Amino acid sequence: MKLTLKIWRQKNAKAKGIFATYKMEDVSHEMSFLEMLDALNKNLVGEDKDPVAFDHDCREGICGSCGMYINGHPHGPVPAVTTCHLSMRYFSDGDTIWIEPWRAKPFPVIKDLIVDRSAFDKIQIAGGFISVNAGAAPEANSILAEKKKSDKAFDSSICIGCGACVAACKNASAMLFVSAKISQFALLPQGRIEAKERVRAMVEKMDELGFGNCSNTGACEAECPKQIKLTNISRLNREYYKAY
Amino acid sequence: MNKILFSSLSKKFVMALAGLFLLMFLPVHLIINLMLLKSDPVPFNRAAHFMATFPVVKIVEIALIAAILIHISWGIFLQIQNWLARPVGYAGGNKSETSFFSRFMIWTGASVLTFLVLHFFNFYFIKLGLVPGDPENFYSVAHNLFKISAYNYIYLICFVLLGLHLFHAFSSAFQTLGLNHRIWTPVVKVFHRIWTPVVKVFALIYSILIPAGFAYISLTLWLFR
Ligand code: HEM
Ligand code: SF4
Ligand code: FES
């Protein structure tokens, strides 16, 4: 199929960016979205032009680095997939595809489609861990965890920190991400010990970094490739109020 | 302590509490206003007099004014932060599926605010003695206002927009207060399965009935009296 791509090009963090238009001939339906961009870059390199910079690593939906904003949706219009898992069969001949980086003050653009997501790392570092002595793995059954709760904790822990929730939110709020990170610990006995300090520190860091506030609009839940639920945000709120 | 009180979550918490308080006040206000439909001015004026003088109501009134001020100031403050958090928008638009009216809370809120200013000039400030008028005869003040077509237009538009504000406000407040899917006790455990739909349905009924009630009074007095 033939495609027209409108891609955000920006030389570096300081430069002003613009949308560049690229025509693609014979894109296969079997390609993944990133393979389609690889093909574009191959053409660009052949023409001695600067290839489009985009972030990617695992290409199997687990590292969270491949985020880009495609036709009005983070990770494209298909629910519950990352960009690397987005198949070109969802697009049709003659389509125009708008490809933009995440837009949020705490995620500045580094180059083209790559943004600096280290704000998420800073939130994690503020409290997204449990303090245990390193060494031999402890006996697994010495602390019992309720099955239902550990299942929920697992569902929250699969957040890959991709930032699609921030990108989708009209307020660029990081609440879904933070709530997933809070929930995965808050639901388990090991996480309860530092629960109060954790939630205070992570929320404080989130505010400090300039993310927006939660309006409970639900765009994050709709776009999250790992289907993290809004109920996590409700739990985050509860955990926060309980901490005082 | 300041960091706690002024964190994003605390601001929303306070805002949601203030909002819920306003949600409880609206039906009370509506019930009193329905007395405007009677041809006898005494019941309405008596109720207005009671609201203006009864000591307990006085305390509630202070809380109400505080709730309005806090809700509005935090609402505007948070919204400005939200705009600042995305300095560059998306050329491809934002097509994510959302709770529809949540996107316009600041605008529906602002129209309610416009109405509140008008409302304060027309009634509350008369009571405070800041604006000339007879505070013992709000019945005729109201009836005279509802004779003005422009007033009715503004009134009706603002109440429709209030309804849109309330529809999202209801479920949003529950989420903000952390009450979405909370399992408190075994009794609520049964209840929590139907909790979200119950809140949604209640929000829908509330956000239609309350504005409809106010609009009914406006339309009746304007067109049929
Ligand atoms: C009778 C009048 C009003 C009632 C009953 C009311 C009620 C509520 C409630 C319960 C919420 C949900 C809080 C939450 O999201 O947790 C809310 C949200 C909101 N209200 Fe109001 N409100 C009223 C008037 C206003 C006014 C005058 C403004 C002025 C600007 C306003 C601005 C907002 C905004 C911006 C939000 C959304 C907050 C957010 O998305 O984070 N409201 N309202
Ligand atoms: S909550 Fe979902 S959208 Fe947000 S960072 Fe985690 S995986 Fe990505
Ligand atoms: S490249 Fe790792 S999630 Fe897409």
Side-chain angles (χ1 to χ4, degrees):
Chain A
M1 56 182 162
K2 288 193 171 73
L3 294 174
T4 307
L5 306 177
K6 302 266 186 188
I7 303 181
W8 183 257
R9 302 302 311 260
Q10 181 173 336
K11 275 212 161 58
N12 54 52
K14 296 224 171 69
K16 256 187 88 170
I18 48 153
F19 281 95
T21 307
Y22 301 99
K23 298 269 180 204
M24 292 281 284
E25 310 283 329
D26 34 76
V27 173
S28 154
H29 281 281
E30 272 140 42
M31 284 176 166
S32 77
F33 200 85
L34 295 189
E35 282 166 346
M36 185 274 294
L37 288 180
D38 290 337
L40 169 71
N41 279 344
K42 207 172 146 206
N43 295 347
L44 289 177
V45 170
E47 294 163 19
D48 223 12
K49 288 186 184 145
D50 193 22
V52 177
F54 62 90
D55 217 349
H56 60 99
D57 184 17
C58 69
R59 297 209 178 198
E60 55 181 16
I62 53 171
C63 74
S65 62
C66 60
M68 52 187 86
Y69 200 86
I70 304 160
N71 279 352
H73 295 273
H75 296 299
V78 181
V81 294
T82 51
T83 303
C84 56
H85 269 177
L86 178 64
S87 162
M88 288 314 291
R89 72 169 176 271
Y90 294 107
F91 297 88
S92 331
D93 190 39
D95 276 2
T96 299
I97 308 177
W98 288 83
I99 311 171
E100 310 172 59
W102 287 171
R103 297 292 189 191
K105 201 175 87 191
F107 287 166
V109 175
I110 299 173
K111 185 172 170 40
D112 298 341
L113 301 173
I114 303 180
V115 299
D116 177 0
R117 283 180 300 122
S118 59
F120 269 9
D121 301 336
K122 290 180 189 144
I123 296 175
Q124 267 304 77
I125 291 165
F129 51 80
I130 55 169
S131 308
V132 285
N133 288 329
E139 156 58 30
N141 291 323
S142 61
I143 302 172
L144 298 179
E146 197 183 316
K147 169 81 170 120
K148 260 192 194 158
K149 283 194 176 169
S150 65
D151 284 351
K152 274 192 183 166
F154 180 79
D155 288 346
S156 305
S157 73
I158 60 175
C159 159
I160 53 176
C162 64
C165 42
V166 175
C169 176
K170 74 176 177 63
N171 308 336
S173 164
M175 285 286 275
L176 194 66
F177 166 76
V178 175
S179 72
K181 298 300 166 198
I182 288 291
S183 293
Q184 76 182 52
F185 294 115
L187 286 161
L188 293 174
Q190 292 89 336
R192 292 299 331 158
I193 298 159
E194 290 156 305
K196 291 187 177 181
E197 296 84 353
R198 177 181 307 114
V199 71
R200 275 181 228 158
M202 289 177 83
V203 167
E204 193 185 319
K205 185 54 82 178
M206 169 183 90
D207 286 352
E208 183 192 307
L209 290 164
F211 289 101
N213 311 286
C214 181
S215 285
N216 303 321
T217 68
C220 52
E221 184 186 51
E223 300 290 359
C224 172
K226 298 296 154 187
Q227 298 183 291
I228 301 291
K229 293 277 162 287
L230 275 187
T231 42
N232 285 285
I233 296 185
S234 201
R235 184 178 300 106
L236 165 61
N237 287 332
R238 268 191 323 266
E239 286 292 322
Y240 189 73
Y241 308 141
K242 273 198 287 184
Y244 295 102
Chain B
M1 191 64 195
N2 275 357
K3 271 188 185 147
I4 308 160
L5 223 55
F6 294 103
S7 73
S8 59
L9 268 57
S10 302
K11 286 200 198 83
K12 285 243 38 183
F13 182 77
V14 171
M15 221 191 139
L17 280 186
L20 280 184
F21 187 59
L22 298 178
L23 285 177
M24 291 196 290
F25 173 70
L26 279 176
V28 178
H29 199 319
L30 175 59
I31 289 168
I32 295 174
N33 279 20
L34 283 172
M35 296 180 195
L36 282 172
L37 294 172
K38 298 192 177 208
S39 46
D40 178 9
V42 175
F44 179 82
N45 281 338
R46 204 186 282 149
H49 180 81
F50 174 78
M51 293 302 270
T53 50
F54 194 64
V56 180
V57 181
K58 279 258 153 215
I59 298 168
V60 178
E61 182 185 301
I62 294 167
L64 200 65
I65 300 293
I68 292 176
L69 291 179
I70 290 176
H71 186 82
I72 294 172
S73 13
W74 274 167
I76 294 174
F77 184 87
L78 292 173
Q79 183 59 58
I80 291 173
Q81 282 190 326
N82 294 346
W83 281 323
L84 292 177
R86 171 151 309 132
V88 183
Y90 292 111
N94 190 332
K95 304 208 184 97
S96 304
E97 197 184 306
T98 56
S99 146
F100 187 73
F101 297 117
S102 69
R103 295 188 227 172
F104 313 109
M105 290 304 270
I106 189 66
W107 306 117
T108 50
S111 69
V112 177
L113 178 61
T114 318
F115 177 75
L116 277 177
V117 172
L118 196 65
H119 195 60
F120 273 40
F121 270 99
N122 289 334
F123 293 95
Y124 195 65
F125 290 168
I126 293 183
K127 202 174 95 184
L128 297 186
L130 300 174
V131 172
D134 180 7
E136 289 304 318
N137 197 358
F138 276 143
Y139 181 88
S140 75
V141 177
H143 273 252
N144 287 335
L145 280 172
F146 282 123
K147 283 190 192 119
I148 309 166
S149 301
Y151 183 80
N152 285 287
Y153 286 128
I154 296 173
Y155 196 89
L156 291 170
I157 292 171
C158 287
F159 271 96
V160 170
L161 293 170
L162 174 68
L164 305 184
H165 193 79
L166 299 182
F167 181 62
H168 175 69
F170 226 97
S171 36
S172 183
F174 276 90
Q175 172 82 1
T176 301
L177 298 179
L179 299 180
N180 186 0
H181 278 265
R182 169 133 201 210
I183 307 168
W184 293 287
T185 61
V187 185
V188 185
K189 231 179 214 172
V190 182
F191 191 52
H192 103 274
R193 237 177 268 255
I194 51 167
W195 183 238
T196 311
V198 165
V199 171
K200 280 259 153 69
V201 169
F202 196 77
L204 186 67
I205 295 173
Y206 182 98
S207 55
I208 292 175
L209 273 192
I210 298 289
F214 283 101
Y216 175 71
I217 297 169
S218 148
L219 287 170
T220 313
L221 296 185
W222 177 30
L223 302 174
F224 302 111
R225 292 287 162 88

